[in-house]
Amino acid sequence: EDQVTQSPEALRLQEGESSSLNCSYTVSGLRGLFWYRQDPGKGPEFLFTLYSAGEEKEKERLKATLTKKESFLHITAPKPEDSATYLCAVQSTSGTYKYIFGTGTRLKVLA
Amino acid sequence: NAGVTQTPKFQVLKTGQSMTLQCAQDMNHNSMYWYRQDPGMGLRLIYYSASEGTTDKGEVPNGYNVSRLNKREFSLRLESAAPSQTSVYFCANADGSWGEQYFGPGTRLTVT
């Protein structure tokens, strides 16, 4: 069964304190892994797509990496405006049109 | 460009009432989706539409119906609302059968 597990559930960081969020996945074949940011009361906002192990994508203070079993979202020198819930989703090669979402990591960055 | 829009933003229903949640996109994407988001459960797919005139069930379709009359619009109908349908509902689209999705702002529904 396709499954996505995110950890930790919640994370509090001081401004400037770098850390990583984890997304572990089990799929029969990976078509793509997606990271989204969700602010309170808003819809998820697309950040990155990763397709194969070893791939990396960067955007400002965020860097996403992918292995055969997990993905990491590295946050370098975070700022309070990075506070949000970060969602991970996968699409398997056997699940056209269907995405499996994790429950997210709630990140709070303190000034 | 608005991207994906949803109406209403908030709704309170009594058990047994019906309503339709509206979703529209101006991105010219083929596939559209309806999800519900509940605390601790992540986003769960209710229905999706690969293209105009086609719809298919997702993970949690019971109690819902959908309609995709044209490429822009995808509506979700609750025929007889139940308290278990209290949730936040998101509409999303994607360019094809795979790839990143783009989400609307959500509808917060409470059924009493």
Side-chain angles (χ1 to χ4, degrees):
Chain A
E1 181 185 348
D2 298 340
Q3 194 169 344
V4 174
T5 303
Q6 291 189 247
S7 62
E9 282 189 23
L11 182 63
R12 290 166 70 93
L13 299 173
Q14 290 295 132
E15 185 172 4
E17 180 187 2
S18 302
S19 187
S20 297
L21 314 182
N22 178 263
C23 172
S24 297
Y25 64 90
T26 304
V27 291
S28 50
L30 182 68
R31 185 183 293 279
L33 184 142
F34 310 91
W35 281 99
Y36 295 87
R37 171 191 170 124
Q38 186 174 22
D39 292 301
K42 302 282 182 66
E45 176 188 349
F46 169 70
L47 292 173
F48 303 110
T49 305
L50 301 166
Y51 294 108
S52 58
E55 190 174 1
E56 299 181 352
K57 294 272 181 74
E58 278 189 77
K59 180 180 179 179
E60 296 180 357
R61 295 176 293 281
L62 300 177
K63 179 179 175 180
T65 61
L66 181 66
T67 72
K68 289 188 177 179
K69 293 185 177 181
E70 58 192 349
S71 177
F72 292 94
L73 185 65
H74 307 279
I75 304 178
T76 302
K79 298 182 177 183
E81 53 262 42
D82 295 322
S83 297
T85 295
Y86 291 85
L87 302 175
C88 171
V90 299
Q91 192 177 26
S92 78
T93 53
S94 63
T96 304
Y97 298 103
K98 295 185 179 176
Y99 301 75
I100 309 300
F101 281 83
T103 53
T105 294
R106 293 189 314 277
L107 173 66
K108 178 75 172 176
V109 182
L110 304 170
Chain B
N1 289 345
V4 180
T5 57
Q6 292 183 238
T7 55
K9 290 192 186 311
F10 301 94
Q11 183 71 49
V12 178
L13 292 177
K14 294 187 188 303
T15 297
Q17 287 185 317
S18 62
M19 79 160 296
T20 299
L21 282 63
Q22 305 286 355
C23 173
Q25 57 136 349
D26 62 3
M27 301 172 75
N28 202 36
H29 284 175
N30 287 313
S31 52
M32 297 185 76
Y33 303 78
W34 275 106
Y35 289 93
R36 60 179 289 173
Q37 187 174 42
D38 302 291
M41 299 199 71
L43 285 157
R44 291 183 294 168
L45 182 64
I46 305 171
Y47 270 92
Y48 68 93
S49 170
S51 60
E52 176 182 342
T54 69
T55 62
D56 215 334
K57 294 179 180 179
E59 182 185 355
V60 288
N62 291 346
Y64 305 95
N65 284 302
V66 290
S67 178
R68 179 93 182 266
L69 294 178
N70 55 58
K71 194 171 186 178
R72 287 191 66 249
E73 298 169 297
F74 189 36
S75 60
L76 179 71
R77 182 158 178 85
L78 287 71
E79 290 292 351
S80 178
S84 60
Q85 294 178 305
T86 293
S87 187
V88 182
Y89 291 85
F90 289 102
C91 177
N93 70 13
D95 197 10
S97 62
W98 60 283
E100 64 269 17
Q101 295 179 302
Y102 297 89
F103 287 81
T107 294
R108 187 173 295 273
L109 175 67
T110 302
V111 183
T112 62

